[in-house]
Amino acid sequence: MLKTKRLDKIQEYINERGTVSLDELVEKFNVSKNTIRRDVQDLIEVGDFKKVYGGVAVDKPSSTVPFLDRQIRNFKEKQKIGQAAAEFVEDGDIIFIDSGTTTVEMVEFIKDKELTIITNNVDFIVKALPYDNLNIFSTGGMLERKTNSFTSVDNDEIIHSYNIRKAFLASTGLSIKSGVTNSLPLESGLKRSVVQRSAESFLLVDQSKFGKVALTTYCNLEDMDYLVTDAIPDKYQEYANDNEIKVVLTKSEL
C-alpha cells in the first residue's frame, strides 16, 4: 500500500476508535513497527492526534469535517468566491473543478457557458446534470464520503492525459511555510497532478484557511497563479506580490 493511502487509512482508523495501540496498527496495516512509528509521528505533527502510552489517540476532532458541516460554514463568502472565480471561465475552456464546498458554488455562475469540465466533485456533477452545455468528465475511483469526492491511486495517470486550461482548486489550509495543504493524502496526489498539468491554477479559499496546516502539502503557494478569497492577511498579500500571484478579492455584495 502506498504511504499516502496508508496514512489516509490510519487517520480514519484512529478517528473511528479514539485510541489505538501501535501493535494494533502494525497488525492492521501489515507493516513494521518502525514504519508505524514514522506514520504516527507524521499524523501527530499535524496536531489532530497525540501520543499515549503504547499508542496514539485523537487529540481533537478530525480536520476532515463532514461535507455538509463544511458547506454550512461561511456559505455566503464561499458563494462570492465561486462567483469571482467563475469570471475567469470563458466559452470553450477545458477546466478542472476540485472537490470542496467553495468550488461547487461555481456551477451557478458558469452554467450558461460551453465548457469541458474534469472533476472529482460529486456535488458539482449532480448540480451540473441539467446543463447539456457542460461536458463533464469524472476522475472516477472510490467515493470518499467525507468530502463527497472521487479518489484513486490511478488519478495521476488520468489527469496527465488531459490538457487543462484552468484549474480551480480548494484546500484545507494554506501557509507560507507549508504551502497549500489538504487532509486526505489520496486527494493531495490528485491536486498535485492537476497543478502540474494546468496552464493556470486558481486557489479558492475563504479567510479562515490562512495560517492553517493540514496533513499533506500538495503544492507551494507560489505554484498558484491566482488566489481568490474574501479577505487576505497583509503578509500573504506581500508574499503574493513578491511571487507574482494575482489576488482576487470578492465583491461586498452578490
Side-chain angles (χ1 to χ4, degrees):
M1 183 186 297
L2 293 173
K3 181 177 180 178
T4 54
K5 185 175 182 181
R6 187 175 65 249
L7 282 171
D8 201 16
K9 294 295 184 183
I10 291 172
Q11 182 181 29
E12 183 177 347
Y13 190 81
I14 299 170
N15 277 322
E16 287 175 352
R17 288 157 180 79
T19 303
V20 297
S21 69
L22 295 182
D23 289 338
E24 183 180 350
L25 291 173
V26 167
E27 182 177 353
K28 171 69 177 176
F29 295 97
N30 194 29
V31 293
S32 71
K33 200 161 190 176
N34 283 337
T35 297
I36 283 296
R37 284 196 181 101
R38 289 192 293 269
D39 288 350
V40 165
Q41 187 59 39
D42 286 344
L43 294 171
I44 288 170
E45 287 176 0
V46 175
D48 290 339
F49 304 98
K50 61 182 178 181
K51 288 182 180 178
V52 295
Y53 183 75
V56 60
V58 176
D59 191 34
K60 60 183 180 181
S62 170
S63 58
T64 308
V65 180
F67 184 87
L68 289 176
D69 291 345
R70 290 187 290 116
Q71 196 169 34
I72 294 169
R73 294 181 182 178
N74 304 324
F75 171 73
K76 204 68 176 177
E77 289 77 10
K78 292 176 180 181
Q79 195 176 26
K80 293 174 184 176
I81 292 168
Q83 181 183 20
E87 292 179 4
F88 291 89
V89 180
E90 301 171 302
D91 277 325
D93 270 346
I94 300 171
I95 67 174
F96 177 85
I97 299 289
D98 197 7
S99 62
T101 55
T102 304
T103 48
V104 74
E105 296 303 325
M106 290 181 66
V107 176
E108 185 64 26
F109 305 105
I110 62 174
K111 64 184 182 183
D112 297 324
K113 300 180 186 292
E114 296 285 341
L115 301 170
T116 297
I117 302 169
I118 303 111
T119 185
N120 62 332
N121 191 324
V122 175
D123 290 84
F124 186 94
I125 293 170
V126 172
K127 288 191 174 186
L129 280 174
Y131 310 110
D132 293 339
N133 48 300
L134 301 180
N135 191 22
I136 307 291
F137 288 81
S138 165
T139 58
M142 180 188 74
L143 174 62
E144 176 55 75
R145 287 180 172 82
K146 293 175 185 175
T147 55
N148 280 17
S149 66
F150 293 120
T151 60
S152 171
V153 293
D154 299 321
N155 280 153
D156 288 4
E157 185 176 343
I158 294 168
I159 289 301
H160 280 285
S161 68
Y162 291 121
N163 297 310
I164 302 170
R165 179 71 186 89
K166 297 163 186 170
F168 298 90
L169 294 132
S171 73
T172 306
L174 71 154
S175 76
I176 292 172
K177 181 179 179 181
S178 298
V180 188
T181 60
N182 188 61
S183 297
L184 300 176
L186 271 181
E187 277 197 355
S188 290
L190 170 64
K191 293 169 188 280
R192 187 177 300 113
S193 295
V194 168
V195 172
Q196 293 169 353
R197 189 61 183 163
S198 302
E200 293 183 303
S201 295
F202 297 72
L203 182 62
L204 281 60
V205 289
D206 64 71
Q207 60 184 293
S208 69
K209 302 294 180 66
F210 288 95
K212 301 287 180 63
V213 178
L215 179 61
T216 57
T217 296
Y218 69 84
C219 72
N220 296 321
L221 188 52
E222 60 265 28
D223 291 332
M224 290 294 167
D225 299 293
Y226 292 84
L227 180 55
V228 188
T229 185
D230 55 326
I232 183 170
D234 289 343
K235 69 175 183 178
Y236 285 89
Q237 180 66 69
E238 293 171 6
Y239 186 86
N241 293 342
D242 291 341
N243 289 275
E244 298 182 346
I245 305 167
K246 300 176 183 68
V247 175
V248 180
L249 293 175
T250 58
K251 299 172 183 176
S252 58
E253 295 295 336
L254 280 174

